[in-house]
Amino acid sequence: MAAGKKAKNVARTAKGKAKESTGRAVGNERLEAEGRVEQAKGDAKQAVEKGKDAFKH
């Protein structure tokens, strides 16, 4: 996996976790949901990149 893409996906997942935590702390359900969506996107993209790597070798 390209290091830049991996870092971007990990950052997206971390940002999502932060949003979810913040939303939960302040009682903002929308922010919490946005955080979960962002985490899912980061995880999905990371899985795609790992799949690409598996076929390269």
Side-chain angles (χ1 to χ4, degrees):
M1 178 183 320
K5 287 185 178 183
K6 181 178 181 182
K8 187 183 280 189
N9 295 333
V10 170
R12 175 175 271 162
T13 302
K15 183 178 172 186
K17 285 181 183 182
K19 268 188 179 182
E20 183 181 8
S21 297
T22 302
R24 189 176 300 128
V26 297
N28 186 334
E29 291 178 13
R30 181 178 175 198
L31 187 61
E32 191 175 342
E34 285 177 8
R36 283 193 298 268
V37 168
E38 204 158 330
Q39 284 181 66
K41 284 182 182 179
D43 290 340
K45 287 189 179 223
Q46 201 164 358
V48 168
E49 290 297 321
K50 284 182 181 179
K52 286 180 184 178
D53 283 348
F55 286 110
K56 284 183 182 177
H57 298 283

